[in-house]
Amino acid sequence: LRTHGLSPVVGRGGDASIWDLDTRRKVASLDGTRLSASSLTALADGRHIALGTRTGEVQIWNVLTAGRAPGGWQGDKHAITGLAFSPDGAWVGVGYEDGDIEIRTAAGKKDRQVTVSLPSHLTFLPDGETLWVDGYQSTKAFSVTTGLPVPTSAYPQGARSISTAGDRAAYVKYNKAYRAVGGAESPLAMEGKATSAALLGEDVYVSRTDGTVLRVPAAGPAVEVGGATGLRQLVASEKG
């Protein structure tokens, strides 16, 4: 995703909004999401996001218009705690608070199900076939075609909010934010506790427990660029 983008965020109260990282201002709230949004992820086209709700629904939203887009489905009635689309858009991983993880096609058709205790963050590896799940005191990877666990050391134990671009990645591990290039990990030079990370070009945007957002360049100091009260999840999407 390119670095002149809009950033959708979810607050602790369950409301979702869109921020412009260039102007550091909130540009829109997603109508109807107040008290219901629980997880979100950017789609590969960079212009849409998928939002999971506390009632198990997956909604598709257009970042540029802040309006609902075609697609989405009603899944399990439990709150969605993790959501991820494969890089090619063919597969979707949906994690629920009861521990169930559904592997669905892009159209929302349920294909198979696996279980991880309290899944909190899901992401697909660049191969598009492996779903990475960070759960309570465990991290597992599954093949989406078989539903079986597969060994992987792509990311360290406890990595969550993983954002990737080629051989580069950014993620949060035990409230600290990291940048990795070719598998070589380095902590970001920043203060405070991190809650999520988004990789945009050479920069990493990090949300902190106090609701602020930092831009951490590849070289140079971190800069506060905005934030929102109660912000707990940040993803990135291109503006145009």
Side-chain angles (χ1 to χ4, degrees), residues 18-126:
I18 297 174
W19 287 70
D20 189 323
L21 296 179
D22 294 337
T23 64
R24 307 180 188 180
R25 295 179 181 272
K26 183 170 77 171
V27 296
S29 294
L30 302 187
D31 291 341
T33 64
R34 182 166 176 77
L35 303 179
S36 67
S38 59
S39 184
L40 56 81
T41 188
L43 272 62
D45 65 4
R47 298 170 183 265
H48 294 86
I49 60 169
L51 185 146
T53 73
R54 294 179 178 178
T55 58
E57 182 184 7
V58 174
Q59 304 172 356
I60 307 299
W61 289 78
N62 186 311
V63 174
L64 304 182
T65 65
R68 287 284 296 271
W73 61 87
Q74 178 64 56
D76 194 311
K77 295 296 183 181
H78 294 281
I80 294 175
T81 56
L83 188 61
F85 278 69
S86 63
D88 62 3
W91 297 96
V92 187
V94 186
Y96 297 94
E97 64 180 354
D98 66 348
D100 287 342
I101 299 168
E102 294 178 346
I103 298 173
R104 293 175 174 262
T105 65
K109 181 180 179 182
K110 184 176 177 179
D111 190 75
R112 61 189 73 251
Q113 182 171 303
V114 295
T115 301
V116 172
S117 177
L118 297 177
S120 57
H121 293 269
L122 282 66
T123 192
F124 276 88
L125 300 192

XYZ file of all heavy atoms in Angstrom, residues 18-126:
819
model
N -12.064 6.984 9.453
C -10.998 7.078 8.472
C -10.228 8.368 8.702
O -10.817 9.441 8.826
C -11.558 7.042 7.041
C -12.240 5.692 6.791
C -10.451 7.256 6.013
C -12.957 5.609 5.467
N -8.912 8.242 8.774
C -8.032 9.389 8.993
C -7.151 9.592 7.774
O -6.713 8.626 7.146
C -7.157 9.159 10.223
C -7.914 9.277 11.506
C -8.856 8.412 11.989
C -7.808 10.327 12.474
N -9.342 8.852 13.195
C -8.713 10.022 13.528
C -7.038 11.483 12.564
C -8.867 10.838 14.635
C -7.182 12.300 13.673
C -8.084 11.987 14.684
N -6.887 10.845 7.436
C -5.956 11.188 6.371
C -4.593 11.428 7.010
O -4.430 12.363 7.803
C -6.433 12.453 5.652
C -5.626 12.728 4.388
O -4.405 12.492 4.393
O -6.233 13.183 3.404
N -3.623 10.603 6.681
C -2.308 10.711 7.288
C -1.531 11.926 6.784
O -0.568 12.350 7.421
C -1.512 9.436 7.040
C -2.093 8.171 7.678
C -1.222 6.971 7.332
C -2.222 8.315 9.180
N -1.939 12.493 5.646
C -1.273 13.691 5.154
C -1.662 14.923 5.974
O -0.823 15.744 6.336
C -1.622 13.928 3.687
C -1.062 12.848 2.780
O -0.072 12.192 3.190
O -1.605 12.649 1.688
N -2.958 15.064 6.256
C -3.445 16.239 6.986
C -3.585 15.986 8.479
O -3.846 16.916 9.240
C -4.819 16.667 6.447
O -5.775 15.631 6.701
C -4.751 16.930 4.949
N -3.451 14.714 8.904
C -3.565 14.321 10.306
C -4.955 14.609 10.863
O -5.132 14.931 12.031
C -2.512 15.018 11.163
C -1.093 14.861 10.650
C -0.105 15.566 11.540
N 1.223 15.567 10.943
C 2.285 16.116 11.504
N 2.179 16.703 12.678
N 3.450 16.090 10.898
N -5.973 14.477 10.020
C -7.341 14.743 10.442
C -8.256 13.561 10.144
O -8.036 12.827 9.185
C -7.892 15.982 9.725
C -7.178 17.280 10.067
C -7.787 18.437 9.280
N -7.110 19.697 9.564
C -7.445 20.514 10.560
N -8.461 20.191 11.358
N -6.786 21.637 10.755
N -9.284 13.427 10.977
C -10.316 12.435 10.683
C -11.198 12.986 9.579
O -11.686 14.106 9.666
C -11.153 12.136 11.931
C -12.201 11.056 11.688
C -12.867 10.593 12.967
C -13.896 11.565 13.459
N -14.688 10.988 14.588
N -11.386 12.197 8.526
C -12.163 12.684 7.390
C -13.564 12.093 7.342
O -14.450 12.648 6.689
C -11.435 12.401 6.055
C -10.125 13.162 5.994
C -11.182 10.910 5.872
N -13.778 10.983 8.028
C -15.114 10.375 7.996
C -15.255 9.322 9.083
O -14.269 8.713 9.507
C -15.385 9.738 6.632
N -16.483 9.142 9.519
C -16.827 8.007 10.371
C -17.619 7.028 9.524
O -18.362 7.444 8.618
C -17.669 8.463 11.573
O -16.922 9.302 12.430
N -17.465 5.746 9.782
C -18.215 4.754 9.027
C -19.576 4.590 9.685
O -19.697 4.033 10.783
C -17.457 3.428 8.997
C -16.037 3.494 8.410
C -15.459 2.097 8.267
C -16.031 4.216 7.067
N -20.603 5.100 9.039
C -21.945 5.116 9.614
C -22.425 3.714 9.960
O -22.275 2.774 9.173
C -22.942 5.748 8.636
C -22.707 7.240 8.459
O -22.045 7.829 9.335
O -23.176 7.797 7.448
N -22.991 3.598 11.148
C -23.572 2.326 11.561
C -22.609 1.398 12.257
O -22.988 0.301 12.651
N -21.328 1.821 12.409
C -20.355 0.930 13.045
C -20.190 1.224 14.525
O -19.494 0.495 15.220
C -18.969 1.046 12.378
O -18.451 2.371 12.581
C -19.079 0.770 10.883
N -20.798 2.286 15.038
C -20.594 2.665 16.426
C -20.964 1.515 17.352
O -22.036 0.917 17.234
C -21.403 3.911 16.782
C -21.175 4.365 18.209
C -21.714 5.768 18.422
N -21.588 6.177 19.807
C -20.469 6.579 20.375
N -19.368 6.616 19.662
N -20.430 6.935 21.644
N -20.058 1.187 18.240
C -20.209 0.136 19.247
C -20.217 -1.273 18.660
O -20.385 -2.233 19.387
C -21.492 0.338 20.069
C -21.638 1.683 20.785
C -22.952 1.739 21.538
C -20.477 1.928 21.727
N -20.018 -1.415 17.330
C -20.109 -2.756 16.744
C -18.820 -3.241 16.101
O -18.613 -4.448 15.963
C -21.228 -2.797 15.690
O -20.903 -1.993 14.574
N -17.925 -2.341 15.683
C -16.709 -2.758 14.984
C -15.736 -3.421 15.950
O -15.502 -2.931 17.051
C -16.041 -1.561 14.323
N -15.171 -4.549 15.543
C -14.236 -5.260 16.413
C -12.922 -5.600 15.738
O -11.938 -5.881 16.410
C -14.882 -6.551 16.942
O -15.272 -7.398 15.878
N -12.873 -5.593 14.399
C -11.644 -5.925 13.692
C -11.741 -5.404 12.268
O -12.848 -5.241 11.732
C -11.431 -7.441 13.681
O -10.202 -7.784 13.075
N -10.606 -5.111 11.647
C -10.635 -4.692 10.248
C -9.329 -5.047 9.566
O -8.311 -5.304 10.197
C -10.931 -3.203 10.119
C -10.041 -2.173 10.827
C -8.769 -1.911 10.036
C -10.789 -0.865 11.010
N -9.377 -5.071 8.231
C -8.189 -5.339 7.432
C -8.346 -4.664 6.085
O -9.474 -4.440 5.614
C -7.975 -6.855 7.243
O -6.706 -7.089 6.627
C -9.059 -7.481 6.380
N -7.231 -4.301 5.452
C -7.265 -3.685 4.126
C -7.304 -4.766 3.058
O -6.650 -5.800 3.172
C -6.048 -2.790 3.927
N -8.074 -4.543 2.005
C -8.089 -5.448 0.870
C -6.930 -5.118 -0.060
O -6.359 -4.026 -0.009
C -9.421 -5.360 0.128
C -10.530 -6.284 0.655
C -10.888 -5.947 2.092
C -11.772 -6.212 -0.226
N -6.603 -6.051 -0.933
C -5.413 -5.914 -1.781
C -5.503 -4.738 -2.739
O -4.471 -4.200 -3.155
C -5.183 -7.204 -2.559
N -6.727 -4.291 -3.098
C -6.839 -3.182 -4.047
C -6.491 -1.839 -3.417
O -6.368 -0.833 -4.104
C -8.229 -3.126 -4.673
C -9.340 -2.804 -3.670
O -9.041 -2.536 -2.484
O -10.512 -2.832 -4.085
N -6.320 -1.802 -2.083
C -5.931 -0.586 -1.405
C -7.035 0.441 -1.263
O -6.826 1.490 -0.660
N -8.218 0.176 -1.788
C -9.316 1.129 -1.748
C -10.493 0.648 -0.904
O -11.449 1.407 -0.691
C -9.795 1.451 -3.163
C -8.733 2.094 -4.022
C -9.153 2.171 -5.481
N -8.081 2.725 -6.291
C -7.977 4.002 -6.623
N -8.868 4.867 -6.182
N -6.984 4.431 -7.374
N -10.426 -0.574 -0.465
C -11.508 -1.128 0.335
C -10.950 -1.767 1.599
O -9.800 -2.203 1.632
C -12.304 -2.178 -0.451
C -13.057 -1.618 -1.612
N -12.480 -1.443 -2.847
C -14.344 -1.180 -1.719
C -13.374 -0.922 -3.676
N -14.509 -0.749 -3.024
N -11.776 -1.810 2.614
C -11.441 -2.535 3.826
C -12.574 -3.510 4.149
O -13.712 -3.325 3.717
C -11.237 -1.586 5.034
C -12.512 -0.784 5.320
C -10.041 -0.688 4.816
C -12.478 -0.045 6.639
N -12.220 -4.541 4.879
C -13.217 -5.456 5.422
C -13.275 -5.221 6.919
O -12.244 -5.129 7.584
C -12.843 -6.907 5.126
N -14.466 -5.092 7.442
C -14.669 -4.797 8.854
C -15.463 -5.920 9.497
O -16.508 -6.327 8.992
C -15.405 -3.453 9.001
C -15.615 -2.902 10.402
C -15.553 -1.377 10.376
C -16.967 -3.344 10.973
N -14.930 -6.455 10.598
C -15.638 -7.485 11.354
C -16.355 -6.858 12.533
O -15.858 -5.915 13.144
N -17.528 -7.374 12.858
C -18.325 -6.780 13.925
C -18.427 -7.713 15.131
O -18.046 -8.884 15.079
C -19.755 -6.467 13.449
O -20.492 -7.693 13.319
C -19.731 -5.749 12.111
N -18.978 -7.178 16.190
C -19.160 -7.949 17.422
C -20.299 -8.951 17.312
O -20.509 -9.758 18.214
C -19.395 -6.984 18.591
C -18.169 -6.116 18.883
C -18.411 -5.142 20.008
N -17.198 -4.371 20.291
C -17.128 -3.413 21.199
N -18.183 -3.093 21.924
N -15.984 -2.759 21.387
N -21.048 -8.890 16.217
C -22.131 -9.857 15.994
C -21.779 -10.863 14.909
O -22.647 -11.585 14.428
C -23.427 -9.122 15.630
O -23.209 -8.322 14.451
C -23.888 -8.231 16.771
N -20.510 -10.903 14.495
C -20.065 -11.912 13.540
C -20.287 -11.576 12.086
O -20.153 -12.445 11.217
N -20.573 -10.333 11.771
C -20.782 -9.933 10.382
C -19.491 -9.373 9.793
O -18.739 -8.674 10.478
C -21.884 -8.874 10.282
C -22.187 -8.445 8.851
C -23.206 -7.322 8.767
O -23.582 -6.777 9.820
O -23.633 -6.993 7.637
N -19.243 -9.662 8.516
C -18.133 -9.066 7.773
C -18.719 -8.079 6.774
O -19.585 -8.434 5.967
C -17.294 -10.128 7.042
C -16.232 -9.472 6.164
C -16.629 -11.063 8.045
N -18.275 -6.834 6.854
C -18.753 -5.771 5.971
C -17.602 -5.261 5.105
O -16.460 -5.201 5.563
C -19.320 -4.603 6.784
C -20.433 -4.980 7.743
C -20.814 -3.823 8.663
O -20.196 -2.750 8.646
N -21.844 -4.033 9.477
N -17.908 -4.868 3.872
C -16.921 -4.281 2.970
C -17.230 -2.787 2.836
O -18.376 -2.401 2.595
C -16.949 -4.941 1.581
C -16.818 -6.479 1.707
C -15.821 -4.391 0.708
C -15.538 -6.943 2.357
N -16.179 -1.956 3.011
C -16.344 -0.507 2.945
C -15.363 0.094 1.945
O -14.236 -0.386 1.805
C -16.081 0.127 4.318
C -17.149 -0.165 5.328
C -17.321 -1.319 6.037
C -18.192 0.709 5.745
N -18.404 -1.219 6.877
C -18.963 0.019 6.721
C -18.557 2.017 5.405
C -20.069 0.588 7.345
C -19.653 2.595 6.022
C -20.399 1.873 6.974
N -15.806 1.145 1.249
C -14.954 1.899 0.343
C -14.281 3.012 1.138
O -14.961 3.864 1.717
C -15.794 2.488 -0.800
C -14.951 3.163 -1.860
O -14.082 3.987 -1.557
N -15.205 2.832 -3.116
N -12.955 3.027 1.181
C -12.220 4.015 1.965
C -12.392 5.417 1.394
O -12.453 6.408 2.131
C -10.729 3.648 2.027
C -9.930 4.733 2.717
C -10.540 2.324 2.747
N -12.485 5.545 0.071
C -12.548 6.857 -0.554
C -13.895 7.539 -0.336
O -13.970 8.758 -0.217
C -12.257 6.744 -2.052
C -10.922 6.088 -2.428
C -10.740 6.097 -3.929
C -9.770 6.805 -1.748
N -14.976 6.748 -0.279
C -16.309 7.327 -0.117
C -16.842 7.162 1.292
O -17.858 7.763 1.642
C -17.301 6.673 -1.087
O -17.466 5.285 -0.742
C -16.811 6.785 -2.528
N -16.173 6.330 2.113
C -16.641 6.007 3.467
C -18.036 5.393 3.437
O -18.819 5.539 4.383
C -16.613 7.232 4.376
N -18.356 4.695 2.340
C -19.657 4.058 2.209
C -19.536 2.549 2.087
O -18.473 2.021 1.733
N -20.627 1.846 2.372
C -20.644 0.392 2.216
C -20.465 0.019 0.751
O -20.941 0.697 -0.152
C -21.965 -0.189 2.731
C -22.117 -0.188 4.246
C -21.304 -1.277 4.923
N -21.715 -2.598 4.571
C -22.657 -3.303 5.230
N -23.278 -2.754 6.270
N -22.967 -4.515 4.870
N -19.759 -1.074 0.523
C -19.534 -1.585 -0.821
C -20.147 -2.981 -0.926
O -20.437 -3.617 0.087
C -18.028 -1.637 -1.119
N -20.374 -3.475 -2.140
C -20.927 -4.819 -2.299
C -20.021 -5.865 -1.656
O -18.805 -5.709 -1.606
C -20.984 -4.998 -3.824
C -21.037 -3.603 -4.365
C -20.199 -2.780 -3.436
N -20.631 -6.944 -1.212
C -19.884 -8.022 -0.582
C -20.152 -8.086 0.907
O -20.945 -7.314 1.447
N -19.478 -8.989 1.566
C -19.695 -9.193 2.986
C -20.685 -10.318 3.233
O -21.359 -10.798 2.312
N -20.770 -10.754 4.472
C -21.650 -11.854 4.838
C -21.835 -11.890 6.348
O -21.084 -11.276 7.095
C -21.067 -13.182 4.356
C -19.729 -13.498 4.952
C -19.476 -14.134 6.127
C -18.447 -13.159 4.408
N -18.130 -14.220 6.360
C -17.474 -13.636 5.322
C -18.041 -12.516 3.245
C -16.106 -13.467 5.095
C -16.688 -12.350 3.038
C -15.742 -12.830 3.945
N -22.846 -12.623 6.781
C -23.074 -12.862 8.192
C -22.516 -14.232 8.537
O -22.919 -15.238 7.970
C -24.571 -12.820 8.526
C -24.895 -13.124 9.991
C -24.334 -12.088 10.955
O -24.613 -10.905 10.825
N -23.534 -12.530 11.915
N -21.550 -14.269 9.455
C -20.951 -15.533 9.849
C -21.451 -15.982 11.199
O -22.631 -15.819 11.537
N -20.562 -16.534 11.980
C -20.871 -16.959 13.337
C -21.403 -15.758 14.125
O -21.073 -14.606 13.839
C -19.576 -17.471 13.987
C -19.817 -18.251 15.261
O -20.555 -17.741 16.118
O -19.261 -19.344 15.399
N -22.227 -16.016 15.133
C -22.812 -14.934 15.926
C -21.834 -14.355 16.945
O -22.120 -13.351 17.587
C -24.066 -15.433 16.648
C -25.206 -15.823 15.710
C -25.715 -14.620 14.931
C -26.906 -14.997 14.058
N -27.408 -13.845 13.273
N -20.666 -14.984 17.112
C -19.683 -14.477 18.071
C -18.919 -13.296 17.483
O -18.847 -13.118 16.264
C -18.707 -15.583 18.464
C -19.330 -16.699 19.228
N -19.622 -16.624 20.559
C -19.727 -17.933 18.840
C -20.170 -17.745 20.982
N -20.237 -18.563 19.949
N -18.320 -12.496 18.359
C -17.546 -11.338 17.915
C -16.334 -11.781 17.101
O -15.672 -12.777 17.431
C -17.092 -10.513 19.118
N -16.041 -11.056 16.038
C -14.869 -11.320 15.212
C -13.663 -10.654 15.859
O -13.664 -9.456 16.116
C -15.071 -10.794 13.784
C -16.191 -11.588 13.101
C -13.776 -10.882 12.975
C -16.552 -11.068 11.722
N -12.624 -11.439 16.124
C -11.421 -10.916 16.779
C -10.246 -10.789 15.826
O -9.244 -10.156 16.159
C -11.018 -11.818 17.953
O -10.833 -13.165 17.472
C -12.090 -11.820 19.037
N -10.324 -11.386 14.654
C -9.248 -11.298 13.670
C -9.801 -11.516 12.273
O -10.749 -12.290 12.089
N -9.223 -10.830 11.301
C -9.734 -10.887 9.932
C -8.575 -10.680 8.971
O -7.748 -9.786 9.176
C -10.780 -9.784 9.754
C -11.621 -9.719 8.482
C -12.454 -10.982 8.322
C -12.529 -8.491 8.532
N -8.472 -11.509 7.935
C -7.378 -11.374 6.971
C -7.801 -11.890 5.608
O -8.511 -12.904 5.516
C -6.149 -12.142 7.454
N -7.384 -11.196 4.554
C -7.580 -11.625 3.173
C -6.222 -12.032 2.607
O -5.211 -11.390 2.884
C -8.167 -10.500 2.325
C -9.658 -10.350 2.433
C -10.230 -9.892 3.610
C -10.484 -10.664 1.376
C -11.601 -9.737 3.726
C -11.854 -10.522 1.475
C -12.424 -10.058 2.652
N -6.204 -13.078 1.799
C -4.956 -13.482 1.155
C -4.541 -12.423 0.143
O -5.372 -11.658 -0.354
C -5.124 -14.840 0.471
O -6.092 -14.766 -0.567
N -3.243 -12.354 -0.206
C -2.761 -11.321 -1.145
C -3.487 -11.321 -2.485
O -3.689 -10.258 -3.075
C -1.283 -11.671 -1.312
C -0.915 -12.359 -0.043
C -2.134 -13.153 0.338
N -3.900 -12.491 -2.969
C -4.604 -12.550 -4.251
C -6.116 -12.418 -4.096
O -6.860 -12.457 -5.080
C -4.271 -13.843 -4.993
C -4.698 -15.100 -4.230
O -5.311 -14.974 -3.143
O -4.421 -16.214 -4.712
N -6.575 -12.261 -2.859
C -7.999 -12.081 -2.607
C -8.834 -13.336 -2.707
O -10.066 -13.278 -2.622
N -8.200 -14.495 -2.858
C -8.955 -15.728 -3.052
C -9.484 -16.319 -1.746
O -10.486 -17.039 -1.744
C -8.077 -16.762 -3.762
N -8.805 -16.031 -0.626
C -9.170 -16.632 0.652
C -9.345 -15.579 1.737
O -8.724 -14.519 1.694
C -8.094 -17.625 1.108
C -7.895 -18.795 0.206
C -6.943 -18.919 -0.774
C -8.661 -19.990 0.168
N -7.068 -20.122 -1.406
C -8.118 -20.811 -0.854
C -9.757 -20.462 0.897
C -8.631 -22.054 -1.148
C -10.274 -21.712 0.604
C -9.707 -22.501 -0.413
N -10.183 -15.910 2.702
C -10.421 -15.040 3.844
C -10.322 -15.885 5.117
O -10.879 -16.983 5.188
C -11.822 -14.390 3.802
C -11.962 -13.356 4.928
C -12.086 -13.765 2.451
N -9.601 -15.374 6.100
C -9.560 -16.002 7.411
C -10.339 -15.150 8.396
O -10.146 -13.932 8.459
N -11.239 -15.770 9.153
C -12.064 -15.042 10.118
C -11.936 -15.733 11.476
O -12.262 -16.917 11.612
C -13.550 -15.013 9.704
C -14.343 -14.110 10.656
C -13.710 -14.540 8.262
N -11.444 -15.004 12.477
C -11.304 -15.552 13.811
C -12.387 -15.023 14.735
O -12.730 -13.835 14.691
N -12.938 -15.901 15.588
C -14.014 -15.533 16.507
C -13.547 -15.681 17.947
O -12.631 -16.456 18.255
C -15.247 -16.406 16.269
C -15.865 -16.234 14.903
C -15.515 -17.081 13.848
C -16.792 -15.233 14.662
C -16.087 -16.930 12.595
C -17.365 -15.074 13.412
C -17.009 -15.924 12.379
O -17.566 -15.771 11.138
N -14.216 -14.959 18.840
C -13.813 -14.958 20.241
C -13.951 -16.328 20.910
O -13.317 -16.577 21.930
C -14.613 -13.924 21.024
C -16.104 -14.203 21.094
C -16.852 -13.148 21.890
O -16.180 -12.274 22.467
O -18.094 -13.197 21.940
N -14.760 -17.223 20.331
C -14.906 -18.553 20.925
C -13.801 -19.509 20.498
O -13.791 -20.676 20.915
C -16.274 -19.144 20.589
C -16.455 -19.434 19.101
O -15.609 -18.964 18.284
O -17.426 -20.116 18.748
N -12.852 -19.031 19.671
C -11.725 -19.857 19.261
C -11.842 -20.452 17.877
O -10.870 -21.000 17.352
N -13.004 -20.372 17.265
C -13.166 -20.898 15.915
C -12.547 -19.958 14.893
O -12.626 -18.732 15.030
C -14.649 -21.085 15.577
C -15.269 -22.266 16.293
O -14.508 -23.130 16.763
O -16.516 -22.316 16.383
N -11.930 -20.541 13.879
C -11.382 -19.769 12.764
C -11.946 -20.365 11.479
O -11.745 -21.540 11.184
C -9.847 -19.833 12.727
C -9.278 -19.245 14.016
C -9.308 -19.080 11.524
C -7.824 -19.525 14.201
N -12.687 -19.561 10.744
C -13.254 -20.001 9.487
C -12.333 -19.616 8.338
O -11.814 -18.497 8.301
C -14.628 -19.367 9.269
C -15.680 -19.815 10.269
C -17.006 -19.122 10.055
O -17.049 -18.113 9.314
O -17.998 -19.574 10.644
N -12.137 -20.530 7.429
C -11.428 -20.248 6.184
C -12.483 -20.213 5.089
O -13.181 -21.207 4.848
C -10.365 -21.309 5.890
C -9.313 -21.315 7.013
C -9.695 -21.048 4.537
C -8.305 -22.436 6.906
N -12.657 -19.065 4.473
C -13.706 -18.865 3.488
C -13.119 -18.458 2.145
O -11.995 -17.979 2.060
C -14.690 -17.778 3.960
C -15.521 -18.174 5.178
C -16.382 -17.020 5.649
N -17.287 -17.403 6.721
C -18.564 -17.718 6.556
N -19.094 -17.692 5.343
N -19.321 -18.062 7.590
N -13.913 -18.630 1.093
C -13.547 -18.090 -0.206
C -13.817 -16.585 -0.197
O -14.485 -16.062 0.703
C -14.360 -18.739 -1.328
O -15.746 -18.385 -1.161
C -14.218 -20.264 -1.291
N -13.321 -15.875 -1.192
C -13.505 -14.431 -1.239
C -14.974 -14.049 -1.308
O -15.365 -12.963 -0.882
C -12.749 -13.846 -2.423
N -15.810 -14.947 -1.823
C -17.244 -14.674 -1.908
C -17.948 -14.902 -0.571
O -19.142 -14.655 -0.446
C -17.884 -15.551 -2.977
N -17.192 -15.380 0.420
C -17.775 -15.587 1.739
C -18.228 -17.003 2.022
O -18.714 -17.294 3.116
N -18.068 -17.907 1.062
C -18.496 -19.283 1.267
C -17.528 -19.999 2.219
O -16.320 -20.003 2.013
C -18.535 -20.039 -0.068
C -19.003 -21.480 0.073
C -19.027 -22.182 -1.289
C -19.471 -23.632 -1.149
N -19.465 -24.336 -2.452
N -18.076 -20.593 3.267
C -17.255 -21.283 4.251
C -16.658 -22.544 3.647
O -17.368 -23.375 3.092
C -18.086 -21.622 5.489
C -17.299 -22.254 6.612
C -18.180 -22.469 7.831
C -17.438 -23.181 8.948
N -18.288 -23.371 10.139
N -15.347 -22.692 3.745
C -14.659 -23.828 3.141
C -14.240 -24.847 4.185
O -14.395 -26.043 4.003
C -13.440 -23.343 2.361
C -12.814 -24.421 1.515
O -13.392 -24.745 0.467
O -11.770 -24.950 1.918
N -13.671 -24.378 5.310
C -13.254 -25.270 6.378
C -13.067 -24.481 7.664
O -13.128 -23.243 7.665
C -11.979 -26.029 6.006
C -10.783 -25.137 5.738
C -9.618 -25.928 5.173
N -9.842 -26.321 3.793
C -10.085 -27.558 3.394
N -10.135 -28.556 4.277
N -10.260 -27.848 2.124
N -12.839 -25.173 8.765
C -12.734 -24.511 10.062
C -11.627 -25.145 10.888
O -11.430 -26.361 10.860
C -14.071 -24.623 10.803
C -14.110 -23.928 12.156
C -15.537 -23.896 12.708
O -16.444 -23.384 12.061
N -15.723 -24.443 13.898
N -10.887 -24.302 11.605
C -9.848 -24.765 12.529
C -10.087 -24.049 13.856
O -10.946 -23.175 13.964
C -8.436 -24.468 11.986
C -8.167 -25.248 10.717
C -8.242 -22.975 11.740
N -9.306 -24.410 14.871
C -9.522 -23.831 16.195
C -8.194 -23.426 16.825
O -7.224 -24.177 16.801
C -10.235 -24.824 17.133
O -11.486 -25.193 16.554
C -10.494 -24.202 18.492
N -8.167 -22.206 17.393
C -7.027 -21.692 18.164
C -7.606 -20.959 19.366
O -8.562 -20.198 19.234
C -6.151 -20.733 17.334
C -5.100 -20.059 18.210
C -5.465 -21.471 16.194
N -7.043 -21.175 20.527
C -7.553 -20.530 21.729
C -7.447 -19.008 21.628
O -6.366 -18.456 21.444
C -6.768 -21.013 22.955
O -7.205 -20.349 24.125
N -8.583 -18.333 21.723
C -8.665 -16.867 21.711
C -7.841 -16.239 20.587
O -6.887 -15.497 20.834
C -8.218 -16.303 23.066
C -9.073 -16.705 24.286
C -8.463 -16.136 25.556
C -10.495 -16.224 24.120
N -8.183 -16.508 19.327
C -7.432 -15.902 18.219
C -7.593 -14.383 18.226
O -8.702 -13.867 18.312
C -8.073 -16.524 16.983
C -9.470 -16.857 17.409
C -9.354 -17.254 18.860
N -6.477 -13.657 18.156
C -6.556 -12.204 18.229
C -6.111 -11.503 16.956
O -6.627 -10.436 16.631
C -5.716 -11.690 19.409
O -4.370 -12.107 19.291
N -5.149 -12.079 16.235
C -4.655 -11.447 15.013
C -4.399 -12.514 13.960
O -3.789 -13.541 14.245
C -3.370 -10.662 15.278
C -3.585 -9.471 16.163
N -3.879 -8.226 15.671
C -3.567 -9.345 17.506
C -4.037 -7.383 16.674
N -3.843 -8.033 17.793
N -4.869 -12.250 12.740
C -4.689 -13.150 11.616
C -3.987 -12.410 10.488
O -4.242 -11.223 10.269
C -6.028 -13.678 11.095
C -6.757 -14.799 11.853
C -7.208 -14.341 13.219
C -7.954 -15.293 11.048
N -3.135 -13.113 9.762
C -2.543 -12.540 8.560
C -2.134 -13.678 7.635
O -1.871 -14.799 8.085
C -1.320 -11.664 8.898
O -0.943 -10.920 7.743
C -0.137 -12.503 9.352
N -2.121 -13.416 6.347
C -1.648 -14.401 5.378
C -0.178 -14.153 5.084
O 0.261 -13.007 4.965
C -2.443 -14.306 4.075
C -3.732 -15.075 4.096
C -4.895 -14.483 4.567
C -3.786 -16.385 3.667
C -6.084 -15.176 4.591
C -4.974 -17.105 3.697
C -6.137 -16.496 4.159
N 0.572 -15.225 4.957
C 1.946 -15.103 4.506
C 1.947 -14.764 3.015
O 0.944 -14.958 2.324
C 2.710 -16.399 4.762
C 2.804 -16.869 6.224
C 3.832 -17.978 6.351
C 3.143 -15.726 7.159
N 3.061 -14.217 2.498
C 3.096 -13.802 1.091
C 2.742 -14.902 0.097
O 2.326 -14.598 -1.027
C 4.550 -13.339 0.917
C 4.942 -12.839 2.274
C 4.278 -13.792 3.229
